[in-house]
Amino acid sequence: MAHPEQTTAERRASWTELFFDLVAVAGIGQLTHLLHRGPSLGEFGLYALLYLAFWVVWACVTVYSNVAGEQARTTLVFGCMFGLCVMMAAVDGMPEDHANVFAAIYVVVRIASSSAWGRGQVVVDWPIAQIGSGTLPWLVSLWVPAPGKFVLWGVGLAIDLWVMFTVDAERLMLDAQRRVRSRLRRRRPGPPRPPRRPPPRLRMLHAEPGHLGERLGQYLIIVLGEGVISVIAAVSVEEWTVPVAVIGVCAFLCLLGMWG
């Protein structure tokens, strides 16, 4: 595993990580399909839900590659990238079609990215790597029709956000130690014998702030670039009136403000 003392100069975003960032941002660009018909309040809410879903998947894989460093499994990153592509393809048919496909792939990618950590490894800077309860509403939503399906998605994302902002490193380590002790107590009674697998030795893993900051910055820059492309595409098909020009200029200034 990568060590926290590595500096940004020693660790830069790899080509694989940049490729993954581009695919994630392309998924966010695909969400504009939801806004072509209005948007209504419901469509805007669905846009926010799907945006957060793409961001959580991106962040899970980003933190994994950040902490694992050179030991990160390329096959896992590319597998999650393929999952993102399937989620992107499912966006075009929503809310009527493909919602179950989107939810199922989301759950698979979340489980795959969380199971990548070895026994006893606790990523204290990303608690949802260990606490995956936010995926349960997504799983249940596979058997629930809309609009209840999307309500469950929102509940799952709300749980993840609550875990991210309220669970600290000390609590994570205490919970991990409690689970280890619980497994030891559940062993069959009888004469002592050596265990087939020794209990895991807990390791506290931290993200590298420099590298993670670089990834977040690159992600934001690509998102802003996608925003510029979307504004240009929208303005180019309209009649160039004063209101359209004002909206175009204001959208560009809004993107500049986000960059600032």
Side-chain angles (χ1 to χ4, degrees):
M1 291 294 174
H3 296 288
E5 61 267 16
Q6 286 179 302
T7 64
T8 306
E10 297 172 332
R11 178 85 184 279
R12 308 293 297 184
S14 67
W15 294 113
T16 301
E17 291 171 333
L18 292 173
F19 190 14
F20 184 82
D21 293 347
L22 286 170
V23 171
V25 173
I28 293 172
Q30 185 76 355
L31 297 182
T32 55
H33 286 289
L34 302 174
L35 306 179
H36 284 168
R37 291 174 291 184
S40 67
L41 186 60
E43 288 169 337
F44 183 78
L46 183 58
Y47 179 96
L49 280 178
L50 300 189
Y51 178 89
L52 282 173
F54 276 114
W55 183 84
V56 168
V57 169
W58 172 84
C60 285
V61 180
T62 295
V63 172
Y64 164 70
S65 60
N66 173 273
V67 177
E70 294 181 354
Q71 298 181 28
R73 300 202 296 268
T74 305
T75 52
L76 173 64
V77 176
F78 282 141
C80 293
M81 187 187 300
F82 178 76
L84 277 174
C85 291
V86 177
M87 291 169 64
M88 277 191 285
V91 168
D92 195 17
M94 278 201 262
E96 293 83 6
D97 302 316
H98 310 318
N100 276 353
V101 174
F102 188 95
I105 297 300
Y106 176 85
V107 171
V108 169
V109 174
R110 283 289 308 276
I111 293 175
S113 61
S114 296
S115 62
W117 305 105
R119 295 175 71 237
Q121 295 177 337
V122 182
V123 188
V124 295
D125 295 329
W126 189 245
I128 66 173
Q130 286 77 222
I131 305 175
S133 51
T135 60
L136 183 59
W138 285 80
L139 187 61
V140 174
S141 75
L142 296 176
W143 293 274
V144 177
K149 180 187 303 292
F150 304 126
V151 173
L152 286 171
W153 292 6
V155 171
L157 290 169
I159 292 173
D160 282 334
L161 292 174
W162 180 82
V163 169
M164 280 190 279
F165 290 111
T166 60
V167 178
D168 58 16
E170 182 179 358
R171 179 176 170 184
L172 274 179
M173 292 301 295
L174 288 174
D175 287 343
Q177 292 168 358
R178 191 178 301 114
R179 288 195 298 270
V180 171
R181 289 195 297 267
S182 177
R183 283 197 293 268
L184 291 175
R185 286 195 298 267
R186 285 200 300 267
R187 288 179 176 170
R188 295 178 180 177
R193 55 183 177 179
R196 285 178 293 181
R197 295 181 68 185
R201 181 181 179 184
L202 296 180
R203 291 182 57 202
M204 183 183 294
L205 302 179
H206 291 274
E208 295 182 34
H211 177 259
L212 190 59
E214 181 189 25
R215 291 291 303 278
L216 288 168
Q218 290 169 344
Y219 173 85
L220 178 59
I221 288 297
I222 300 172
V223 168
L224 293 179
E226 182 70 27
V228 171
I229 293 172
S230 298
V231 170
I232 293 172
V235 171
S236 63
V237 297
E238 298 290 337
E239 182 181 354
W240 286 10
T241 61
V242 172
V244 170
V246 170
I247 291 173
V249 170
C250 289
F252 183 73
L253 292 176
C254 180
L255 292 170
L256 287 181
M258 292 173 64
W259 172 83

